[in-house]
């Protein structure tokens, strides 16, 4: 015999997406920081348009530049995010601090509950990290709950540390190399396609690699 509990609609489970962006001084060259700001806003708007009964995107934003890393948006349901501020490029590339902050957030079950799907971490940078970074990265990708996250990265230009980023990503297909501001827009379209594919999948916790977008795919992004 059916009971009322049989007809309770389950809320979609959170699917955390964590974006960490480089706002060091070199990002001001060739319009990279402006392209990043535009692409990030387009990413948020595009994901808001998607829906699923299984998963809801929750987004957190981090950045690193000057002499520190900051959390600029706490983990928030995508539907509740309003206008995000533009980043300004200045200073060094303290990427290790960003790794540490992201790990602390992922390990906190009050922020990312056990009910959540595995997080996706997105990293975009055009330079070499300054200061200590390797222990923080190794802890993020190999220890605790954060080791289960899917990790994507974009290396912009020849100065980016592609060897480090190759170690960071979950699979080689998740490392994207770009040369200019237009490539940043294309990368965020790829991120959009990847996370919405997971959101709509019957198995959101399985690794899913989508085809990298063509120029036609980003015309309206």
């Amino acid at each position: 015999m059916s009971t009322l509990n049989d007809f309770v609609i389950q809320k979609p489970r959170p699917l955390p997406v964590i974006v960490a962006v480089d706002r060091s001084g070199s990002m001001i060259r060739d319009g990279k920081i402006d392209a990043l700001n535009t692409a990030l806003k387009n990413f948020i708007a595009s994901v808001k348009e998607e829906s699923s009964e299984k998963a809801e995107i929750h987004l957190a934003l981090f950045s690193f530049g000057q002499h520190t890393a900051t959390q600029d948006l706490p983990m928030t349901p995508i539907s509740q995010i309003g206008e995000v501020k533009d980043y300004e490029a200045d200073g060094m590339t303290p990427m290790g601090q960003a790794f540490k902050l992201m790990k602390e957030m992922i390990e906190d079950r009050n922020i990312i509950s056990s009910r959540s799907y595995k997080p996706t971490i997105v990293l975009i940078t055009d330079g070499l990290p300054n200061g200590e970074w390797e222990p923080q990265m190794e802890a993020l990708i190999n220890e605790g709950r954060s080791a289960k996250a899917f990790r994507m990265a974009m290396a912009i230009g020849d100065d980016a540390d592609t060897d480090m980023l190759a170690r960071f990503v979950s699979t080689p297909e998740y490392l994207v190399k770009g040369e200019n501001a237009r490539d940043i827009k294309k990368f965020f379209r790829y991120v959009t396609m990847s996370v919405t594919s997971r959101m709509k999948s019957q198995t959101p916790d399985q690794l899913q690699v989508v085809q990298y977008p063509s120029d036609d795919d980003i015309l309206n992004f």
Side-chain angles (χ1 to χ4, degrees):
M1 180 177 179
S2 297
T3 66
L4 180 61
N5 288 336
D6 293 330
F7 300 97
V8 172
I9 299 175
Q10 293 294 319
K11 292 178 60 178
R13 291 168 57 184
L15 196 162
V17 178
I18 303 158
V19 178
V21 302
D22 188 339
R23 52 176 168 82
S24 63
S26 58
M27 286 290 290
I28 202 169
R29 295 198 296 266
D30 302 319
K32 288 179 287 190
I33 198 70
D34 293 333
L36 172 63
N37 288 326
T38 300
L40 187 56
K41 290 180 173 64
N42 289 345
F43 164 71
I44 293 171
S46 294
V47 175
K48 278 184 178 181
E49 295 176 355
E50 304 289 343
S51 62
S52 166
E53 294 181 355
K54 292 186 68 68
E56 178 187 36
I57 302 294
H58 288 206
L59 178 68
L61 298 178
F62 293 81
S63 64
F64 47 96
Q66 295 180 320
H67 300 289
T68 189
T70 56
Q71 182 175 18
D72 307 311
L73 177 73
M75 188 61 70
T76 305
I78 197 76
S79 60
Q80 298 178 19
I81 297 175
E83 188 72 15
V84 295
K85 70 173 186 177
D86 284 344
Y87 288 111
E88 297 181 0
D90 189 28
M92 309 294 281
T93 312
M95 200 181 303
Q97 294 182 34
F99 292 147
K100 182 174 184 292
L101 291 176
M102 288 190 286
K103 179 165 182 59
E104 289 173 350
M105 184 187 68
I106 294 171
E107 300 301 331
D108 189 337
R109 295 180 186 273
N110 292 317
I111 299 175
I112 298 180
S113 71
S114 299
R115 185 173 179 268
S116 299
Y117 291 111
K118 295 176 182 177
T120 292
I121 302 175
V122 181
L123 174 64
I124 181 168
T125 180
D126 75 337
L128 301 171
N130 298 120
E132 187 178 65
W133 61 269
E134 193 162 7
Q136 290 85 348
M137 188 183 81
E138 292 299 324
L140 176 69
I141 67 177
N142 292 319
E143 299 174 10
R145 300 175 80 208
S146 63
K148 300 177 182 179
F150 301 116
R151 299 178 303 276
M152 311 174 67
M154 181 179 201
I156 312 171
D158 295 334
D159 292 334
D161 190 342
T162 52
D163 290 338
M164 180 271 290
L165 294 174
R167 291 165 54 192
F168 173 82
V169 295
S170 301
T171 179
E173 292 87 350
Y174 274 174
L175 175 56
V176 176
K177 299 176 184 178
E179 297 299 330
N180 52 45
R182 179 178 174 80
D183 290 328
I184 295 175
K185 184 176 182 180
K186 203 169 182 178
F187 174 68
F188 269 97
R189 179 58 181 157
Y190 182 54
V191 174
T192 301
M193 294 163 64
S194 297
V195 299
T196 55
S197 175
R198 280 190 63 200
M199 183 177 74
K200 296 180 178 182
S201 170
Q202 293 301 309
T203 54
D205 268 346
Q206 291 185 9
L207 179 69
Q208 298 172 36
V209 179
V210 301
Q211 184 175 357
Y212 198 70
S214 66
D215 289 341
D216 290 340
D217 291 324
I218 65 168
L219 287 176
N220 297 315
F221 180 70

